Amino acid sequence: MKYTKEHEWLRVEGDLVVVGITEHAATQLGDVVFIELPEIETMVAEGDEVAVIESVKAASDIAAPMDGEIVAVNDKLVEKPGLVNADPMTAWFFKMRVDDLSVLDDFMDEDEYQDMIG
Amino acid sequence: MTEESPNLRRLPLHGIHLRLGARMVPFAGWEMPVQYPAGVMKEHLHTRAAAGLFDVSHMGQLLLRPRSDMAALGAAFERLMPVDVLGLAPGRQRYGMLTTDTGGILDDLMFANRGDHLFVVVNAACASQDTAHLRAHLADVAEVVAVEDRGLLALQGPAAEAALSRLIPAAAAMRFMDLISADWRGHDLWISRSGYTGEDGYEISVPVLVIEAFTESLLAMPDVAPIGLGARDSLRLEAGLCLYGHDIDTTTSPIEAGLGWAIQKARRPGGARAGGFAGAERILAELADGPRRLRVGLRPEGRAPMREGTDLFTPDGTPVGRVTSGGFGPSVEAPVAMAYVAAAHAAPGTQLLGEVRGKRLPVTVVPLPFRPSTYKR
C-alpha cells in the first residue's frame, strides 16, 4: 500500500492502481454525504480533479495521483457515500491503468505516511 | 489539530470540550467546538431524537437597564428595530433585528423583558458593534451592560424538557418564548424556552462560576449529548432559520428575508406605533408592495449539496439569485439550501438551475422550513 500527500491510498491490483482515501482523511472530512466519480475510459493527468467528495461540512476534490486511464469506478459509493466513513480502506473510488507501475515507488509507504500525519 | 491562536477567546467550558474530544475551530473570534467524536450527522440526529447541549457562550449577552423607566427604554429601542418592544410582557422573550437607516439588518437578536430591565442576546460576530450601536442610540434612556460573568447554553430536542426539569422543576411549565429566573445551588439562572434548531428546548444563561458543574449535571443524563457548531448549522438550516452574515446582512431587508412575521401589528401601517424605526421607508414600502427578491428554500433534485455562493438560473439561463446557506440535511436525508431569488421566481414549485462545479443542476423552490418546528406554544 502506498500513500499520497493528499491522503489517498494506492493499492496495486494486477496491472491497475486502485485509489481511495485514508482513514485520517475520512475522519477529517466527517460524514460523507455525496460522491461524484469520473467517467470510465477517461485519460487523466496527474493532479487533475477527477472525483468530488462532500461531507456535511465541505466539498473537496480528489486528484488523479498520476497520469493514466480511469478504467473502473465504485458506483456503490454514489448510492451509499457513508461507506467511506464506515470502512475507508475498502471503499475504493476508482481504478487506473498506468504505463509503468514503478511510478508507485515515488509515493510514501505506511511508515512515512504515519509520520506525515503525526 | 488545535493550533495556538493567542487572539482567540476561550469558552468557560473549554476544558470540558477538550475532555469530550471536541475538534476546536476559530469562529467569530472564539475557539469553538465544531464537532465531537460522534460527528455532525449523529449529533444532528441525536438533537432531533433526544436532547443536544450546545455551548453558545460566545454569543453576546447584554442588559439594557433603564435610567428612568422601561417605557422610555422601550420607545427608544423601537426606533432601532421594526419590532413591538413596549408590548412585550414581563417574563416574555421576542425575536428582533437591528436595522440600518437603509432598511438592511445590522444583526438579529433575542430580547426579553425581565421586569425592570431588558436582556438581549446577540450574535458573537456582531456583539461589539451592537453594543456600540445600542450605547450610541440608547445613552439617554438606558445603561448598556455587557454581561461578562455568564456563559450561555442551549438544550434542544424532544427530551430537553424532561432533562432540564430534573434540575429546574419550573422549566416544565414554561411555554415557547417564556423567560424565568431560577435558582440552582444558590446561583441565578436565566432560562428561556427558545433556541435555534427548530426543536423545543431552552437557552440557559449560567454564571461562569457554576457553568461547569451545571453542564456536567446535564451531560450525566443519558438523553443529553454535547453538540458542536457543525450540527447547530445543519439544524438551523433545516429549520429555515437565518444565519447572520450569510442569509441576512446589511444589504438584506427583513421583508426580503421573510422575517415580516417579526414585525408586529403595532409597528405596521395602522398600528399604534407604526413606522418610526431605522429603515422604515424601505421596509414599509416592501411590506406594502412586495420586495424585489425573497429568501426561499431550495431542494436540489440530485444528491449534490448546493453550498453558499451557488449561482441560480432560470431554465432558459437568466441569472435569478444565489444560495446563501446550503448543505446536507441529515433529518431531511437530502441536500437543502436557502437562497435569495428574484420575486418573480420565488413561488414554491418554481424550477431553477444551480451551478455546481460548472454544471447546472435542477433545483426546486420549496416553502421553509424544511422540517416543521416542535415549539411548545
Side-chain angles (χ1 to χ4, degrees), chain B residues 17-250:
Chain B
H17 297 312
L18 295 186
R19 191 198 76 215
L20 293 170
R23 188 186 298 175
M24 305 299 284
V25 299
F27 178 83
W30 292 79
E31 205 174 330
M32 296 291 296
V34 67
Q35 65 168 83
Y36 299 88
V40 175
M41 192 90 84
K42 285 203 179 82
E43 291 172 28
H44 177 116
L45 296 172
H46 180 90
T47 305
R48 296 257 188 257
L53 183 65
F54 304 74
D55 185 354
V56 287
S57 299
H58 62 309
M59 297 191 79
Q61 301 183 62
L62 304 173
L63 300 180
L64 310 185
R65 295 193 180 281
R67 297 196 191 279
S68 55
D69 58 286
M70 286 287 276
L73 165 57
F77 204 13
E78 285 195 351
R79 288 197 282 277
L80 307 181
M81 301 199 295
V83 176
D84 179 358
V85 179
L86 288 165
L88 182 68
R92 294 287 291 164
Q93 188 180 46
R94 191 163 271 177
Y95 178 75
M97 68 286 294
L98 299 168
T99 43
T100 69
D101 289 338
T102 51
I105 301 174
L106 277 176
D107 196 9
D108 63 337
L109 53 79
M110 300 291 277
F111 66 102
N113 182 340
R114 286 186 27 95
D116 59 0
H117 66 275
L118 298 178
F119 172 49
V120 183
V121 179
V122 302
N123 283 300
C126 304
S128 59
Q129 168 208 292
D130 290 350
T131 306
H133 181 73
L134 294 172
R135 283 187 178 141
H137 291 88
L138 302 178
D140 293 344
V141 295
E143 185 191 2
V144 178
V145 183
V147 179
E148 302 290 357
D149 57 353
R150 286 175 174 265
L152 192 66
L153 302 174
L155 184 67
Q156 302 278 294
E161 179 185 292
L164 186 59
S165 301
R166 264 175 238 144
L167 304 179
I168 310 287
M174 295 173 69
R175 289 181 305 128
F176 184 56
M177 293 294 206
D178 278 350
L179 182 128
I180 63 167
S181 280
D183 177 83
W184 188 74
R185 299 188 183 172
H187 293 268
D188 191 23
L189 309 188
W190 305 338
I191 303 171
S192 66
R193 193 149 197 171
S194 57
Y196 221 60
T197 60
E199 295 294 322
D200 177 35
Y202 303 87
E203 290 195 345
I204 311 147
S205 174
V206 186
V208 166
L209 279 174
V210 289
I211 195 167
E212 283 191 309
F214 185 74
T215 299
E216 300 285 18
S217 299
L218 286 171
L219 289 175
M221 299 178 195
D223 275 348
V224 178
I227 310 296
L229 276 186
R232 184 170 167 81
D233 192 50
S234 55
L235 287 158
R236 69 92 200 162
L237 174 58
E238 282 185 345
L241 299 169
C242 292
L243 179 60
Y244 191 81
H246 300 261
D247 307 300
I248 47 176
D249 59 28
T250 53

Side-chain angles (χ1 to χ4, degrees), chain A residues 9 19-27 29-35 37 53-55 62 73-93, chain B residues 41-42 303 328:
Chain A
W9 55 256
V19 181
I21 69 165
T22 65
E23 186 153 4
H24 175 77
T27 303
L29 282 168
D31 304 295
V32 174
V33 296
F34 173 76
I35 286 171
L37 296 170
I53 179 164
E54 294 217 26
S55 73
I62 296 182
V73 297
N74 186 359
D75 286 321
K76 267 190 210 160
L77 296 189
V78 175
E79 296 301 312
K80 295 188 77 176
L83 290 171
V84 175
N85 298 107
D87 191 358
M89 299 311 279
T90 63
W92 61 279
F93 279 66
Chain B
M41 192 90 84
K42 285 203 179 82
R303 291 184 63 95
F328 186 82

